[in-house]
């Protein structure tokens, strides 16, 4: 079973609609604020976005930086930055993010604003579309900047259903969008990493395989975190590791290991950072 292909499938019906609406609105936005999960900056990049945003300036926010390894995040910032793309890593919940965003938007849009002034136009608010995979923090980001609870948020994918503008101040307007995934993952690893970090609904996931994949990665890269959290002897078989957690915690039913409970607990603790900050992807350059 270990080496079977892990298949993650879904029907992106409402996402097709969201993509169409975003395409439509793209014409009237000045820049794109793309949120990616700091733990998986590559896997959480939506390939559709590249085609959608064309030449617009882009601000990439690596969200949930509190859940990622700080040194690896720093390397990602360097890798992803270029002439038309600024990159900021943020803990959206605890940081005072507004001044950073306002400044970043000003820097990115300076040339356009100056052009408008030169042509005698009154500078208007810059319009930014906020995009990103489900559950990455788009609505939390907008609420934080607007200091209002305009957008509904929740720790599960698929909370935002439609596009919604928020006026932040005279200089900035933000468009919240539903999290979108793409019809097909080019690489099964991408689907697994999105699953581990909570961008895909658990109901449609092969959770046992996802947990085993995560366990294998942790054994390779964070073995100490496993011993510290679960106080169990390490072995190279991820399924046996899950059994050991179950035995240690007493997750039994009718004298047998309660696999469902073990897997769900393990994944929840992983997502809640109980094993410490973990980056699941490292840029090539590192
Ligand atoms: N630890 C941490 N949690 C965050 C951060 N940003 C957002 N969250 C949490 O992530 C979860 C998802 O946030 P939302 O703002 O609803 O995400 P979304 O991108 O709007 O999701 P959809 O509308 O489903 O696409 C919430 O539980 C937030 O509290 C962050 O920087 N750090
Ligand atoms: Mg949302």
């Amino acid at each position: 079973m270990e080496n079977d292909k892990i298949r993650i499938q879904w029907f992106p019906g409402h996402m097709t609609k969201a993509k169409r609406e975003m395409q439509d609105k793209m014409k009237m936005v000045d820049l794109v604020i793309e949120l990616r999960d700091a733990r998986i900056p590559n896997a959480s990049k939506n390939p559709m976005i590249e085609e959608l945003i064309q030449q617009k300036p882009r601000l990439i926010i690596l969200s949930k930086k509190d859940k990622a390894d700080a040194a690896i995040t720093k390397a990602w910032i360097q890798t992803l930055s270029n002439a038309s793309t600024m990159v900021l890593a943020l803990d959206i919940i605890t940081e005072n993010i507004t001044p950073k965003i306002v400044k970043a938007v000003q820097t990115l849009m300076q040339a356009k604003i100056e052009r408008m002034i030169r042509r005698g136009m009154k500078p208007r608010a810059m319009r930014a579309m906020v995009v990103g995979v489900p559950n990455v923090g788009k609505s939390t980001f907008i609420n934080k900047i607007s200091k209002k609870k305009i957008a509904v948020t929740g720790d599960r994918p698929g909370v935002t259903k439609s596009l919604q503008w928020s006026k932040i101040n005279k200089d900035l307007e933000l468009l919240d969008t539903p999290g979108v995934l793409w019809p097909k993952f080019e690489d099964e690893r991408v689907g697994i990493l999105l699953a581990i970090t909570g961008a895909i609904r658990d109901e449609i996931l092969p959770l046992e395989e996802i947990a085993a994949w995560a366990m294998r990665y942790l054994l390779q890269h964070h073995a100490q975190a496993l011993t510290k959290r679960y106080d169990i002897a390490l072995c190279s078989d991820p399924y046996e590791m899950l059994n050991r957690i179950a035995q240690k915690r007493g997750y039994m039913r009718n004298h047998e290991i309660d696999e469902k409970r073990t897997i769900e607990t393990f994944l929840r603790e992983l997502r809640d950072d109980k094993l410490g900050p973990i980056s699941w992807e490292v840029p090539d350059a590192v």
Side-chain angles (χ1 to χ4, degrees), residues 1-11 183-193 195 200-210 213 239:
M1 172 187 257
E2 282 99 301
N3 292 321
D4 277 359
K5 270 211 163 304
I6 302 179
R7 276 176 233 285
I8 300 173
Q9 287 174 320
W10 65 90
F11 298 97
K184 193 168 164 282
F185 295 130
E186 62 283 6
D187 170 359
E188 74 164 23
R189 212 184 99 267
V190 169
I192 294 166
L193 292 176
I200 304 176
R201 284 187 301 122
D202 274 353
E203 292 79 9
I204 59 167
L205 289 172
L207 290 180
E208 186 178 2
E209 284 83 352
I210 303 287
W213 195 99
Y239 292 92

Side-chain angles (χ1 to χ4, degrees), residues 108-174:
L108 270 172
M109 301 314 298
Q110 197 171 2
K112 176 158 184 166
I113 294 170
E114 281 169 5
R115 211 160 47 235
M116 286 167 81
I117 295 174
R118 259 201 320 274
R119 288 184 191 154
M121 288 156 80
K122 208 167 126 228
R124 56 166 173 77
M126 287 294 116
R127 291 186 287 253
M129 184 185 285
V130 180
V131 301
V133 295
N135 205 31
V136 71
K138 299 175 294 298
S139 300
T140 308
F141 172 82
I142 291 178
N143 286 344
K144 184 87 187 244
I145 297 184
S146 60
K147 299 193 186 68
K148 280 186 221 118
K149 230 179 157 312
I150 303 174
V152 184
T153 64
D155 194 7
R156 57 184 190 284
V159 174
T160 304
K161 304 278 189 235
S162 57
L163 282 69
Q164 190 187 4
W165 282 106
S166 302
K167 193 163 172 60
I168 305 304
N169 57 30
K170 68 173 187 11
D171 300 321
L172 186 60
E173 287 176 32
L174 298 178

Side-chain angles (χ1 to χ4, degrees), residues 197-255:
T197 50
I200 304 176
R201 284 187 301 122
D202 274 353
E203 292 79 9
I204 59 167
L205 289 172
L207 290 180
E208 186 178 2
E209 284 83 352
I210 303 287
W213 195 99
M215 181 63 87
R216 209 174 284 126
Y217 181 90
L218 293 175
L219 281 166
Q220 278 168 16
H221 302 278
H222 297 273
Q224 269 191 342
L226 282 169
T227 2
K228 191 161 163 236
R229 176 76 195 167
Y230 297 108
D231 188 24
I232 50 172
L234 299 178
C235 70
S236 60
D237 178 353
Y239 292 92
E240 175 55 22
M241 285 293 291
L242 289 166
N243 287 344
R244 289 182 188 182
I245 292 175
Q247 277 153 355
K248 188 81 187 182
R249 295 267 180 98
Y251 294 161
M252 310 297 281
R253 268 178 76 178
N254 307 326
H255 307 292

